[in-house]
Amino acid sequence: DKIMNSNVRSNFWLCNLAAPHMAQGGGGNIIVVSSIGGNQGSGTLAVYGMSKAADFSLVKSLAIELGPKGIRANCIAPGLIKTDFAKALWEDEKAVKARNAVTPLRRIGEPDEIAGAAVFLASQAGSYMNGQTMVIDGGRVAGLERHGIDQVLEQHRHAHRVRRVDDLLDRVHRAHRVGNVLQRHQPRAFAQQAREGIEIEARIVGDRDRHDF
């Protein structure tokens, strides 16, 4: 209840209190600061993530309800930012190193980088943006799962290429052993076997050149 009250109900109540005054003044702009936790599942911070995802939904509903009154509502979802609130995380060198490893920009964010988004949303430059969530996280949400999948796929591709080349080499070795017998007893069959061996070796060279083997 404490998390939901702090992260969801407080935003909802404040918007309901402020919106009538904004409408009387000719419009306005609501900016809710959420988190990328709303974009991800968690085995330890599930309620926190739920509350942040609720903020995403809240600004969509506010945009629809208040848009005709000239009031826009948007959300900012930061990643790990160097603030006092997150001090326990960014002061931990191991934690920061682990986070940077899965963040495409390889660093955590600075407060000014979030402030810039708020200025944009509050200014005329963002006057047509409504009901949206801006994710500012150095690419973490965009790259996290893909990064893991890419690693697995590359390992699979590498293993497949190694198996393929090993298989071709094994065929060459078998061909050479058979060829030694054929050369002595069946010259024509040996010639055909030799041609096939050349083709296999050519394929090996092609695979090696393409994949740095």
Side-chain angles (χ1 to χ4, degrees), residues 37-40 42 45-54:
N39 281 325
Q40 306 171 84
S42 172
L45 297 172
V47 177
Y48 177 81
M50 290 164 54
S51 71
K52 294 304 182 179

Side-chain angles (χ1 to χ4, degrees), residues 109-129:
E110 296 290 337
D112 288 349
E113 293 173 308
I114 305 303
V119 170
F120 165 75
L121 290 174
S123 71
Q124 188 62 26
S127 60
Y128 201 58
M129 192 164 186

Side-chain angles (χ1 to χ4, degrees), residues 4-73:
M4 297 303 287
N5 283 335
S6 176
N7 293 346
V8 183
R9 292 189 182 95
S10 62
N11 290 332
F12 178 71
W13 291 336
L14 181 59
C15 290
N16 278 343
L17 289 171
H21 300 284
M22 298 172 94
Q24 287 179 2
N29 179 40
I30 295 171
I31 302 173
V32 175
V33 178
S34 184
S35 166
I36 60 169
N39 281 325
Q40 306 171 84
S42 172
T44 55
L45 297 172
V47 177
Y48 177 81
M50 290 164 54
S51 71
K52 294 304 182 179
D55 288 334
F56 300 171
S57 181
L58 174 61
V59 297
K60 292 181 183 296
S61 295
L62 290 174
I64 294 171
E65 179 182 349
L66 302 177
K69 300 176 182 179
I71 301 172
R72 296 186 293 112

Side-chain angles (χ1 to χ4, degrees), residues 43-208:
T44 55
L45 297 172
V47 177
Y48 177 81
M50 290 164 54
S51 71
K52 294 304 182 179
D55 288 334
F56 300 171
S57 181
L58 174 61
V59 297
K60 292 181 183 296
S61 295
L62 290 174
I64 294 171
E65 179 182 349
L66 302 177
K69 300 176 182 179
I71 301 172
R72 296 186 293 112
N74 293 287
C75 189
I76 297 175
L80 178 57
I81 306 299
K82 197 172 183 179
T83 63
D84 288 340
F85 178 78
K87 195 171 185 178
L89 293 176
W90 57 261
E91 279 192 337
D92 185 331
E93 292 184 6
K94 290 184 178 179
V96 171
K97 185 177 181 180
R99 174 58 67 93
N100 289 346
V102 294
T103 301
L105 287 184
R106 297 296 187 263
R107 64 178 178 86
I108 64 174
E110 296 290 337
D112 288 349
E113 293 173 308
I114 305 303
V119 170
F120 165 75
L121 290 174
S123 71
Q124 188 62 26
S127 60
Y128 201 58
M129 192 164 186
N130 195 23
Q132 304 303 312
T133 296
M134 292 182 67
V135 175
I136 308 173
D137 66 348
R140 174 172 164 74
V141 171
L144 178 61
E145 294 302 324
R146 185 72 252 170
H147 174 74
I149 291 172
D150 285 343
Q151 285 186 325
V152 172
L153 288 177
E154 180 55 31
Q155 291 170 0
H156 173 75
R157 285 193 295 266
H158 178 75
H160 175 72
R161 291 194 297 264
V162 170
R163 286 196 301 271
R164 185 167 182 267
V165 171
D166 285 345
D167 177 62
L168 291 173
L169 286 172
D170 185 57
R171 290 172 61 186
V172 169
H173 294 156
R174 288 201 307 271
H176 286 168
R177 289 195 298 271
V178 172
N180 290 335
V181 176
L182 293 177
Q183 185 177 18
R184 290 193 298 270
H185 304 289
Q186 299 183 38
R188 290 184 180 178
F190 168 74
Q192 176 62 30
Q193 189 76 18
R195 283 194 294 272
E196 293 178 359
I198 291 171
E199 292 175 359
I200 292 172
E201 289 178 343
R203 290 167 61 188
I204 292 175
V205 171
D207 277 355
R208 182 194 61 200

